[in-house]
Structures are given as C-alpha cells and as structure tokens.
Amino acid sequence: MQRSLLRTTCWTRQLGVGRLSTSSAALSNTSFSTTTQWLPPGYEGTKYRPRSLQKGTHPALAVPEPPLKAFRNIDTLSTRRLLNVYAQLSKARLTVLVMLTSMSAVALSPLPTTVPILLSTAIGTALCSASANTLNQLQEVPFDAQMARTRSRPLVRRAITPLHGAAVALATGIAGPALLWYMVNPVTAMLGAGNIVLYAGVYTWMKRKSIYNTWVGSVVGAIPPLMGWTACGGKLLPSSDYPVQFFLPDFLTTNPLPLDISLVDNPLSPFALFMLLYSWQFPHFNALSYLVRDSYAQAGYTMLSVTNSAKNALVSLRHAALLVPVCSVLVPLSGLTTWAFALTSLIPNLIYVRAAWRFYKHGGEKNARSVFQHSLWYLPVMMGLMMFHKQGMDWLKWLGLAGDEEQDKEENEAVVVASQ
C-alpha cells in the first residue's frame, strides 16, 4: 500500500515537473523570438536564433529606409518667421484687444493727454501683455502638447528653444513697465507689472488647481482700462480731495447745474470700465471653454466647463445679465457717457443676454458657439457707443458740421466794437 502511494506521488511530481518544464520551454522560446536583444553576441549561428530570423531579415526590420527626399527640410529661422514666432508667443490678437481696451479708457477720459503718452501707453501695455502670454506658454508646454488647439504653438513644436522664449519674456517684461514708468507715470507701470505677475503667476498656476482661475483671469483682463485711465493722470481710489461724483439724469434733479466735465474724473468712472471688462469675460471665456472642454480635461485643467457644465452656463448668464445695469446705470451715473447710452446699450445687451439664456437653458455646443460669437462683436460695439455718447462730446462740432456759437458771438462783438 505504501509502495503504491509512493509511486503515485512520484509519478505526479514527475508529471508536474514535466508540465512545468514544457511550459517554461515554451515561454523561453517565445521570449527569445521576441526579445533577441537579451541574447549574447554571436548567437546568430546557434540554435537560439529565432526562426523568423533564420531565413532572412525580421519583418520589423524588413521595411526599406525612406529616401532623403521624403524628409522635410527644417525651415531656417528668418527674420519674417522669427517675427511670426514672436507674434504667436505674445498671442497677437489677444494683445491687440488688450491694447485697444486700454486706449478706450484714454479716449473716454476727460483729462488731456499728449501723443507721446498715448503711444507709450499703447506700446507699454502691449509689451506687458506679450511678456505675460510668453511666460504662460513657457509653463504650459507639456500641457499644450496634449491639446489639438495648442499643439502648434512655437515652444511645443520647438520653433525656438525655451531659453529663447524666456529671453523674449524677460525683455518684454522689463521694457513694458520701464516704458510706462519713464514715459507715462509710476502707477500705470505698477499696474502693468502687477498684471504680468497676476497672469503668468497666479492665473497660470490656478488653472490646474481651482475653478476660480477664471475669476482671477477676468481681473487680469479688466486691468488694462485702469492703465489707460491712470495714464491720463486719473486716480482709482476715492479720497477727500477726490470724491465719488454722481451724474443723475435731468428728470431726477430739481436744479440742474451746468455740466462740469472735470467731475467725470472720479473713482466711479474707472470702476465702471473695470466692471464692463470683468463681466464681459465670463460669457466670452465660459462659452469657449465649453467648446474645448474635452481638451482641457485631457490636459488636466480644472475648468468649470469640465467639472460642472451647468454651473458654467449659469455663471455666463449671471454676468451677461449683470452687464445690463453696468451699462444702463453705472456707466452714465459715473459721467463717462450721457444717459442716452442707457437706452442705446439695451439692444446689444438684450441680444447678449438672450444668447446666454439659451446656453443656460438648453446647453450644447451650438448655443455655446452662439454666445462666443456674440461676445466678439459685443465689446467693440459697446466701446463705440460709449465714445458716441461721451459726456461733453459734440460730434457735429468735432466733425466741423456745426459752428461754435460762442466763437461766432465773440466775432460779432469784435466786429461791432471795431465799427464803433
């Protein structure tokens, strides 16, 4: 009995070893067939050479080398291409928009200015924007490479080296505030330098940490009008010597006083410009981020359109609706425009709110694209209307279509005196 059990155990062990050795041999042959790099030199003439290599070349190595003409020549970095790269680094269209919003504040300011200050403000603001955008791209190269929308950026496709990009950011980041400091005033220069830090430092870091990066980015976009206002000598904070002034409509004042244009220079005016740019950016950016939410999610950005698309549309609607009282109450109350702007601005505002409401109610990329497209014409139209209704601006006289009554009266008086 014991002998039979011993024989059975030995036979089972031998069978197990045999199965194990057979399986190991199969695995070994498979490994040698696929990982020939582990074989020692000189194995070609031995039995360890895989069958796929015994009668010729391995299929993976059988592809012929492409001819040299199949390769694309690397374009030399000529002056024209280099300027194009710099334009992409600075996000030229965005920089132009930032510069125009800054210039709109200069145009709406009641304070006089000169051509050198005007040009210095425009160039300095553009340089600050270029530096902030370049620093942003330097930090986001690994993430831009994952999104189809940003894969063609210069640093991603290695059109220039990161060192070259850093040199551009440093040069523009120094030149912009320095130009504003020496040619305009220190307040405008500090606003420009602070905006670079806020965008390239805080906003860029928050894009992967918190949905509130959009709120910080909106502050960044609303600072350029403040730079234009301070460039003319205007102040931002109220004081005893610089109080807030309210320009009420005529039907709310019992004894309307003659218009004093100098009172438009009060802290409520730059605040109105700030709120206009701040609220405009939410429908604009939230609609765009919804259209590219898949790319943002793939790159790991914490955007509201990725985490909560319904709230993303709700925030767009809130700020689109907020633009109505900003334009119809705050702007004319500050004295930047006449109260006629409160009425003419209602039409574009209602169109904008309607598009944002559809985006909130129904969602979808079609409605998001509609909001984004409306945002592109909304800001230029509003700035144009504000200029048309600028307080104290007589366009007929400015265009030479109407005479100056006071000047005509003085000329007539002079003629009468001369005749006597």
Side-chain angles (χ1 to χ4, degrees):
M1 185 67 177
Q2 293 178 354
R3 291 180 179 178
S4 62
L5 290 174
L6 182 60
R7 290 175 181 175
T8 304
T9 304
C10 293
W11 180 78
T12 304
R13 291 179 177 175
Q14 291 175 0
L15 181 62
V17 171
R19 289 179 179 176
L20 181 61
S21 62
T22 303
S23 177
S24 300
L27 289 173
S28 177
N29 292 336
T30 304
S31 176
F32 280 124
S33 300
T34 57
T35 58
T36 57
Q37 68 271 22
W38 301 109
L39 293 175
Y43 77 94
E44 293 83 356
T46 66
K47 62 180 180 180
Y48 297 107
R49 180 177 175 84
R51 294 180 179 178
S52 59
L53 297 178
Q54 289 179 2
K55 294 183 179 181
T57 308
H58 192 276
L61 304 176
V63 180
E65 294 183 1
L68 292 178
K69 63 180 181 180
F71 292 92
R72 180 181 177 183
N73 293 327
I74 299 177
D75 296 330
T76 57
L77 202 59
S78 61
T79 303
R80 182 178 179 181
R81 291 193 177 95
L82 187 60
L83 292 176
N84 185 39
V85 167
Y86 289 163
Q88 293 177 4
L89 281 177
S90 63
K91 299 179 183 177
R93 288 183 293 182
L94 178 59
T95 296
V96 169
L97 177 62
V98 169
M99 184 175 61
L100 290 178
T101 56
S102 177
M103 291 298 96
S104 65
V106 175
L108 289 169
S109 174
L111 299 175
T113 186
T114 61
V115 174
I117 290 180
L118 183 67
L119 294 177
S120 300
T121 303
I123 297 172
T125 304
L127 289 172
C128 291
S129 176
S131 176
N133 289 321
T134 304
L135 289 171
N136 170 265
Q137 292 186 51
L138 280 168
Q139 299 175 71
E140 294 185 344
V141 170
F143 315 118
D144 287 344
Q146 301 178 50
M147 297 190 293
R149 186 174 66 94
T150 54
R151 282 176 189 162
S152 60
R153 287 181 174 175
L155 292 170
V156 177
R157 56 187 173 87
R158 299 183 181 181
I160 59 173
T161 63
L163 183 61
H164 190 164
V168 172
L170 183 63
T172 53
I174 293 176
L179 180 64
L180 294 173
W181 183 284
Y182 290 105
M183 294 298 296
V184 185
N185 55 59
V187 176
T188 308
M190 288 188 288
L191 285 173
N195 221 18
I196 295 174
V197 175
L198 194 60
Y199 183 81
V202 181
Y203 170 71
T204 302
W205 175 81
M206 287 186 66
K207 284 174 71 175
R208 300 180 59 81
K209 301 296 181 180
S210 172
I211 60 172
Y212 294 105
N213 65 79
T214 306
W215 279 258
V216 176
S218 297
V219 172
V220 172
I223 287 180
L226 303 184
M227 296 173 62
W229 189 264
T230 58
C232 298
K235 299 178 182 179
L236 302 179
L237 300 178
S239 64
S240 58
D241 299 330
Y242 195 69
V244 175
Q245 302 288 341
F246 298 102
F247 288 74
L248 297 175
D250 293 338
F251 65 87
L252 292 179
T253 56
T254 56
N255 297 316
L257 299 175
L259 180 63
D260 187 358
I261 299 298
S262 63
L263 296 179
V264 178
D265 178 26
N266 72 91
L268 196 60
S269 297
F271 178 71
L273 293 172
F274 178 90
M275 287 304 302
L276 176 64
L277 268 295
Y278 178 79
S279 292
W280 168 80
Q281 289 177 89
F282 283 94
H284 171 77
F285 179 77
N286 285 17
L288 175 62
S289 65
Y290 182 84
L291 295 173
V292 295
R293 63 192 184 280
D294 293 337
S295 297
Y296 278 139
Q298 183 179 1
Y301 288 114
T302 307
M303 296 295 176
L304 190 58
S305 59
V306 176
T307 59
N308 192 338
S309 58
K311 188 174 181 181
N312 177 72
L314 178 59
V315 171
S316 300
L317 177 61
R318 286 175 182 171
H319 284 272
L322 182 60
L323 286 170
V324 177
V326 167
C327 294
S328 295
V329 179
L330 184 59
V331 171
L333 188 64
S334 68
L336 283 172
T337 66
T338 63
W339 280 93
F341 176 74
L343 298 176
T344 56
S345 64
L346 278 176
I347 298 175
N349 270 322
L350 292 178
I351 295 174
Y352 203 25
V353 171
R354 181 170 174 264
W357 168 256
R358 287 184 173 180
F359 179 40
Y360 167 69
K361 192 67 176 178
H362 306 291
E365 294 189 357
K366 179 180 178 181
N367 292 317
R369 188 171 289 105
S370 175
V371 174
F372 179 73
Q373 290 173 349
H374 282 310
S375 70
L376 296 179
W377 61 258
Y378 176 88
L379 196 59
V381 167
M382 279 299 170
M383 291 299 179
L385 286 174
M386 290 176 71
M387 280 300 303
F388 182 78
H389 295 290
K390 181 182 177 181
Q391 193 74 263
M393 188 67 183
D394 190 346
W395 284 102
L396 293 178
K397 186 188 299 183
W398 189 81
L399 294 173
L401 301 178
D404 193 337
E405 296 180 358
E406 294 183 358
Q407 184 176 358
D408 293 341
K409 185 178 179 180
E410 291 178 357
E411 291 178 356
N412 294 331
E413 291 177 353
V415 170
V416 171
V417 171
S419 63
Q420 293 177 353

